[in-house]
Every structure is written in structure tokens, then in C-alpha cells.
Amino acid sequence: MKAGTTTSIKRMIRTEGFPTPFCPGCGHGILLGAILRAIDELGWSMDDIVFVSGIGCGGWIPSPHFAADTLHVTHGRPVAFATGVKLYNPELKVVVIGGDGDIASIGGNHLIHGARRNLDMTVICANNGIYGMTGGQVTPTTPRGARTVTTPQGNPDRPFDLSRLVAAAGASYVARFSVFHIRQLIRAIKTALEHPGFSFVEAISGCPVQFGRRNALDTPVEMLRYFQERCISIARARVLPPEQLEDKIVIGEFVR
Ligand SMILES: Cc1ncc(C[n+]2csc(CCOP(=O)(O)OP(=O)(O)O)c2C)c(N)n1
Ligand SMILES: [Mg+2]
């Protein structure tokens, strides 16, 4: 089968993982396809990769969907389990996939120390700015002012700029794209997978059900338009004054 086709990624999917646990319009589904297309385009075998995820909708991207070895572990701990996998068998490609809660909230300490130690693994964060699976609570990446079930008047806190945080902690490859920017996202995932050392891809994803409906972005299309309008490249952001950057999402490769 030709690499990079929908037909060829079907062999990478576990049919018993369907019907999918994702809600209609979930951005994590787009990210799921992007990860498989990246692996397919690299010509890698799923047998050479171990996927590790914690709890949350983001954690469901590899498990139950991927026809591969997957470890579905405790919430916030996938980087720690992934470290163990890599130590046991350094030949394996180890890929952590999880939500912003899993990776950057409860799992934030493992994330920054993994980056600091430049562990040889790829971490992909499905950042939808909310605890999707548990009903829509605020997370460390929820934009300021956004309404969630725990911030009904709008989030008063400044969010983490996750990619810059991980870059500052020492990761040797860091990129952020949204699920709207699908070709760039696939390219970044491919670069991350091939990169020796700690590589991090922040995939801005949409949760129309828990985030969108509370923030006037009820449909999947509105969520994608929101990413289209808000995202600007690192180069463009560099020449904008800080006040014009407040509601923007800067995308691109932060460390290469
Ligand atoms: C130790 C522990 N604390 C809290 C929970 C409850 N819990 C499960 S998933 C989750 C957050 C999910 O959000 P995120 O990781 O962003 O994934 P999403 O569903 O948004 O993709 C929480 C708080 C848990 N399972 N275990
Ligand atoms: Mg989330």
C-alpha cells in the first residue's frame, strides 16, 4: 500500500477500538489521523513503537485506537512510565500522547524534568484547554477569560505557554500547531519522531462539547475557524506589540 494514504493508515487502527469514544467533532480525532499519517509517511512499523498515555480523552488517542503496543497508565504519569519503557529497551521508539491535564497539569512535573534530562522520547500533548473527559474543568492552559464549569465567570488566571515552558526546561525539539494546520502538524510530528532526545509537539485541539459550547464555539467548524483566526506564525508574532498578541496562539517550531 502506498504510504500516506487513508487506506494505508487503516492497517494501523485497532478495529475493536470502534465505535470511538470521541464525541462528534473532537479535534483529537484529527490529531489521531495526523500521528498515524506521520508514522506512515516515515515508513515506520507500529511494532517498533510503544505508546504511553494516561487518563483523559487525549489518552484515548493511542488506546484503544492504535494497532500497536499501548500502555494506558495512571493520570499524569505517562512520562514516568515511558521513562521505564525506554530504560528497559532503548531500541524502542517511545511516544507519549495525552491531554493538557494529563501532560501539563497533574503531569507537569514529569514533563519539565523529562525535558530537562532530554530523555529520548516524543511527547505529543493534545491541548484542548480543558479537562474534556471529566466534564469541562479549567486547566493550566485554559485561555484567560474562557468559561469552563469551574470558571463560569471566565478564567481569571494566566495560562501556561506550554511550548515555551518545555523549551525553557531543555527539550531539544519543540513545535506547536493546531489541528487546523494539518500539514504543518504532520510534518512537526515526523520531525519529532525522528529527533533523538526529548521532542515535544503541542497540538492545539478543539473540544466543541466542553469548551466550545461554553465559549460561543458550539460546532466543530467554529472551533477550527477559531484556530485559523487566532494562530499566527513565530515570525509574524515577533513584529507585533505585546497587546496585539494577547488573544493569539503563536505556532511554529520553537526549538529545532
Ligand atoms: C489521580 C487522578 N486525578 C484525577 C483524575 C480525574 N481525571 C481523569 S481525566 C482528567 C482530566 C482530563 O483532561 P485532559 O488530560 O486535558 O484530557 P482531555 O479529556 O481534555 O483530552 C481528570 C482530572 C484521575 N483519573 N486520576
Ligand atoms: Mg484537555
Side-chain angles (χ1 to χ4, degrees), residues 28 56-58 98-102 125-133 137 139 141 207:
H28 292 2
C57 301
D100 44 317
D102 202 25
C125 181
N127 182 3
N128 56 11
I130 201 142
Y131 291 164
M133 196 191 83
Q137 296 84 1
T139 78
T141 60
C207 177

Side-chain angles (χ1 to χ4, degrees), residues 8-254:
S8 64
I9 66 164
K10 278 194 182 150
R11 72 188 154 80
M12 304 159 95
I13 290 172
R14 212 191 286 270
T15 45
E16 62 272 28
F18 284 81
T20 172
F22 294 154
C23 306
C26 176
H28 292 2
I30 305 175
L31 175 58
L32 183 158
I35 296 167
L36 293 184
R37 284 185 178 88
I39 295 166
D40 184 45
E41 286 178 19
L42 288 172
W44 286 11
S45 163
M46 291 293 259
D47 292 342
D48 299 330
I49 313 171
V50 172
F51 296 91
V52 189
S53 62
I55 307 300
C57 301
W60 283 330
I61 293 174
S63 159
H65 294 104
F66 288 3
D69 288 328
T70 57
L71 273 174
H72 205 146
V73 304
T74 41
H75 187 45
R77 309 290 174 239
V79 172
F81 279 84
T83 308
V85 173
K86 191 71 193 177
L87 274 176
Y88 182 73
N89 186 351
E91 299 293 306
L92 289 167
K93 287 279 172 187
V94 182
V95 180
V96 171
I97 306 172
D100 44 317
D102 202 25
I103 303 275
S105 182
I106 189 172
N109 240 345
H110 296 293
L111 177 69
I112 56 173
H113 291 283
R116 176 178 65 81
R117 297 161 76 198
N118 201 24
L119 297 172
D120 187 16
M121 63 176 66
T122 296
V123 177
I124 301 172
C125 181
N127 182 3
N128 56 11
I130 201 142
Y131 291 164
M133 196 191 83
T134 47
Q137 296 84 1
V138 72
T139 78
T141 60
T142 304
R144 204 203 284 267
R147 281 187 294 277
T148 72
V149 78
T150 44
T151 58
Q153 311 286 328
N155 177 25
D157 294 326
R158 193 166 65 95
F160 272 150
D161 182 335
L162 207 48
S163 286
R164 289 202 168 102
L165 174 74
V166 176
S172 45
Y173 179 79
V174 179
R176 170 164 58 210
F177 290 101
S178 87
V179 295
F180 176 81
H181 304 84
I182 191 70
R183 283 309 317 172
Q184 293 102 308
L185 181 61
I186 293 171
R187 248 198 319 270
I189 295 169
K190 281 167 74 176
T191 310
L193 290 172
E194 287 200 301
H195 177 85
F198 196 91
S199 55
F200 180 73
V201 177
E202 181 183 354
I204 304 292
S205 179
C207 177
V209 173
Q210 298 296 356
F211 185 92
R213 82 184 147 97
R214 296 190 174 90
N215 293 285
L217 300 162
D218 297 85
T219 67
V221 172
E222 282 169 298
M223 288 254 39
L224 288 171
R225 279 216 189 96
Y226 171 83
F227 298 145
Q228 182 184 19
E229 284 159 14
R230 296 252 168 154
C231 291
I232 63 164
S233 68
I234 294 173
R236 268 191 64 205
R238 219 172 266 137
V239 295
L240 283 185
E243 61 277 10
Q244 282 187 39
L245 281 173
E246 262 167 31
D247 63 345
K248 296 283 187 293
I249 304 166
V250 181
I251 54 169
E253 289 180 313
F254 292 84

